[in-house]
Amino acid sequence: MAKVLVVTSGKGGVGKTTSTAALGAALAQMGEKVVVVDFDVGLRNLDLVLGAERRVVFDFINVVQGIANLSQALIRDKRLENLWLLPASQTRDKDALTDEGVGKIIAELRTKFDWIICDSPAGIERGAMLAMRFADEAVVVTNPEVSSVRDSDRIIGMLDSRTVKAEQGEQVQKHLLITRYDTGRAARGEMLSIGDVTDILATPMLGIIPESQDVLRASNVGMPVTLNDATSAPARAYTDAARRLMGATIPVLVPAARKGLMNRLLGRRAA
Amino acid sequence: MGAVVRPKPKSIRLRGRSYVAFVFFPVVPIIDWLDEIDVTLNQSPGFFAGKPMVLDLSAVDLSQNAIGQLVASLEQRGLRILGIEGVGAERLSANLPPLLTGGRNAVVSNSEPKKPPPKKAASLLIDTQVRSGQSVVFPEGDITIVGSVSSGAEIVAGGSIHVYGTLRGRAMAGINGNLTARIYCQKVEAELLAIDGYYRTAEQIDATSYAGPIQVWLQGEVVEISPLS
Ligand SMILES: Nc1ncnc2c1ncn2[C@@H]1O[C@H](COP(=O)(O)OP(=O)(O)OP(=O)(O)O)[C@@H](O)[C@H]1O
Ligand SMILES: [Mg+2]
């Protein structure tokens, strides 16, 4: 049975698009047929993270408007044959996306894919509501800081009330993904602890992704981080998260500070 | 010069009250939507009469000008809009109804009331965490929450409030003049605690001194907090 998964957060810039691409690629590598759908109309960048920006001809809105059909708009990833992208429009015509139009496309995607992963825009306005509207499951992306946690809390409330599932008296299954977890700042007490975050959000944990240069390096070359360097710390964390989405029980480990040269230097300077 | 004796300033009391309002949810094309309203009004002219009405614009993208025209069209039909929802504050000019947030859905029956409503239970049970931006309002009696109340969430009860979790948001008990209402929680990190309009804000609640369950009650005009153990 196909699953519609929304990647959402409330707050902007916390790592939704990065996580959509990384989880999508990881699931595709595990043999699942995956489409990632960009809901960030006017600010599309999922195509950039996937290195497909020059291949976008038709987009989501074109399909809703009936200008193109779905198969014309879907872009197949060059490296992973199981991974597809439905790009967002670069134009600012947000109103073109209607509840019914999106619902129809999602229903069609359900017949073709195992996973439909919706990359939500930031905020709690219409675009974010549309991205979550038809979800079966949700990945709530949170950075360990107060404003991000509060926004995630609001988004969880909306997942519980504004989705089709919620309106039918069912529940969207929610997963908490903590991203940009900086071990150094955590050690210095500059971020909320993982315990604080899970305490406030009371949502099962999907994974903790460390803050890492590997993420930037990967997006600069148009690769999901799980593909670019599968052994890097964020790639391994995302791959484990994807396995948990598939139902595997893997304990979530809090990333520990590396006792590298930099750390020792910084430690000495701080002393 | 003699000392000036000033009367002690009376503390301000806040009162919360909630109403059920009809929410209009316009969709494009607006013209067709207004036609539907007309059909309803023709069939039962008294349908909306005397009821507060809110306009939810989240499904449409209207300019400030268009919003003004829509409100005016509704007023021409005798429909007074009390507030507007689902639109950025910058789209509302000063002469339009105010922006509302945090509405909850209620079931409103389409038929005119026939018999007196059955007596409601005087307690409301919420089985989940109350999230930031949500509010639970129950003027008829007690509210029990099995879960935490997030920062940015709000609980408003005519009676007492029981939270089986951490209270991080705002709790207002006894809003209809019930001086004996209390607030109970497993852990307090609240933004506001109020009983019958007398309140304490976060700055006046030393959360660090209460590790475990507490209760809040009214002693004269002072909101008291004490550990429950
Ligand atoms: N684990 C990480 N380590 C370091 N940088 C990261 C990490 N995750 C994301 N970033 C960087 O943070 C920035 C924002 O990430 P991303 O675009 O994925 O966020 P978003 O939530 O989709 O943002 P928006 O709300 O604007 O859509 C990007 O520059 C990305 O490379
Ligand atoms: Mg994004």
Side-chain angles (χ1 to χ4, degrees), chain A residues 7 12-18 20 38 40 43-46 49 119-122:
Chain A
V7 178
V14 295
K16 292 179 292 298
T17 300
T18 303
T20 302
D38 194 345
D40 211 342
L43 273 175
R44 66 166 206 224
N45 47 26
L46 191 54
V49 174
D119 182 15
S120 174

Side-chain angles (χ1 to χ4, degrees), chain A residues 257-270:
Chain A
R258 248 183 303 159
K259 292 272 176 317
L261 180 64
M262 278 308 279
N263 272 36
R264 269 183 276 136
L265 285 178
L266 288 172
R268 200 173 299 154
R269 205 180 298 155

Side-chain angles (χ1 to χ4, degrees), chain A residues 4-30:
Chain A
V4 178
L5 177 73
V6 62
V7 178
T8 184
S9 70
K11 192 170 158 65
V14 295
K16 292 179 292 298
T17 300
T18 303
S19 301
T20 302
L23 292 172
L27 287 168
Q29 277 175 304
M30 290 157 65

Side-chain angles (χ1 to χ4, degrees), chain A residues 15 26 104 129 140 151 159 176 187 218 228 232:
Chain A
K104 243 181 78 198
M129 292 301 115
V140 178
D151 283 4
L159 287 164
L176 176 62
N228 192 42
S232 68

